[in-house]
Amino acid sequence: MKPLLFFTLCLLVTWLPNSHATSDITDPSKNPFSIGVGFGGVEGLIFEGSMRLHRNVNLRLQHAQGLEYEKYERYLSYDYHYYTDGSMTSLTADFHPFDNGFFLSTGYVLNRFKIKGDSEIPQGSRQSLGSLNVLGIPLISATATATDDITLDAKIRWREHGPRLSTGWLFDVDRHFLIRFEIGALFFGDPTLILVTDGEVDGTDINQIDVVNEERSEQIDSFDKKAGKYDVLPIFNFGMNYRF
């Protein structure tokens, strides 16, 4: 379904008015170097440099800071912190099949983007008729006292490298400025969930408490069953390039 949609989009683009047939965009006599800045739905703030290798081929080096997102929640008197972290760096080849701004791209990405979460139950915290709970994981049931700070660090991360495919259009503003629009996908495979707990409950290391280890394993197994939904991350970005 996805390849069919992509192919259909490409066909529709070829029907657009070819008013840029003699555009400076593909003119080999122009300076082949350009720089750009943009913003993407997953990639966040983007910086790039590009070089025209041929009338129909452009090479791009792109660095994306990663979408910045941060959220705080409070549950059972404890704070939970969720946030994104990490960047993406890619080398991409753009193919311009027509003498206009339309392009098809393929490339490879070095990925450091991840989603993190952490929480802490301070030493001396006591809870009864329930369980100590960090990021939804019950650490121990019944009455329990944190005899040392209890922390949980969670991380969702994808493979550290993978291919990218996209298509887009360059709109010629004047002889120096171009507006860029691009859609596509990043292929990093299924993400993995990593959970790290530390601290003591009633004088016992929480990593030696069976119910904690069982619950952590169940959380990871539950995530793994849904991870296939997130093996492809979308590319949806726009920006402006300056041609020297």
Side-chain angles (χ1 to χ4, degrees), residues 9 21 28-29 34 37 52 69 77-80 99-100 117 121 132 140 156 160 163 176 186 230 243:
L9 178 63
S29 66
S34 69
V37 62
R52 176 73 65 172
Y69 175 80
S77 301
Y78 303 115
D79 294 322
Y80 299 84
D99 288 332
N100 56 23
I121 296 176
L132 289 171
I140 191 168
I156 299 173
E160 295 184 350
H176 289 296
L186 301 163
Y230 310 103
R243 178 176 48 214

Side-chain angles (χ1 to χ4, degrees), residues 20-171:
H20 290 79
T22 58
S23 170
D24 287 345
I25 293 174
T26 58
D27 189 341
S29 66
K30 301 298 180 182
N31 193 310
F33 298 100
S34 69
I35 57 175
V37 62
F39 186 83
V42 173
E43 300 141 300
L45 188 61
I46 301 169
F47 300 96
E48 71 172 38
S50 66
M51 180 175 64
R52 176 73 65 172
L53 301 180
H54 181 269
R55 185 181 187 91
N56 301 106
V57 181
N58 186 66
L59 190 66
R60 276 191 291 158
L61 179 62
Q62 188 179 84
H63 179 76
Q65 292 186 343
L67 180 66
E68 294 185 5
Y69 175 80
E70 191 169 26
K71 180 181 180 181
Y72 290 88
E73 287 187 351
R74 192 165 182 81
Y75 177 69
L76 295 178
S77 301
Y78 303 115
D79 294 322
Y80 299 84
H81 180 208
Y82 308 90
Y83 57 100
T84 56
D85 182 49
S87 60
M88 303 177 191
T89 302
S90 62
L91 184 63
T92 303
D94 303 323
F95 176 61
H96 294 260
F98 313 110
D99 288 332
N100 56 23
F102 174 71
F103 63 87
L104 296 168
S105 297
T106 183
Y108 209 72
V109 185
L110 178 63
N111 175 44
R112 305 178 191 88
F113 183 75
K114 61 190 75 72
I115 301 172
K116 293 182 176 181
D118 57 63
S119 185
E120 179 177 342
I121 296 176
Q123 179 179 350
S125 297
R126 184 176 177 83
Q127 189 173 337
S128 60
L129 303 177
S131 62
L132 289 171
N133 187 297
V134 178
L135 287 181
I137 297 180
L139 298 180
I140 191 168
S141 297
T143 299
T145 300
T147 48
D148 194 3
D149 290 346
I150 297 174
T151 61
L152 186 144
D153 293 306
K155 182 190 300 181
I156 299 173
R157 69 170 306 155
W158 288 261
R159 201 167 58 215
E160 295 184 350
H161 49 80
R164 76 191 298 276
L165 294 173
S166 65
T167 185
W169 196 282
L170 289 171
F171 296 91

Side-chain angles (χ1 to χ4, degrees), residues 165-202:
L165 294 173
S166 65
T167 185
W169 196 282
L170 289 171
F171 296 91
D172 202 352
V173 178
D174 60 25
R175 64 186 302 267
H176 289 296
F177 289 98
L178 303 169
I179 294 176
R180 183 186 71 255
F181 175 75
E182 184 177 15
I183 59 173
L186 301 163
F187 300 90
F188 296 139
D190 294 354
T192 57
L193 172 64
I194 302 170
L195 296 174
V196 179
T197 54
D198 189 26
E200 292 182 357
V201 176
D202 291 334

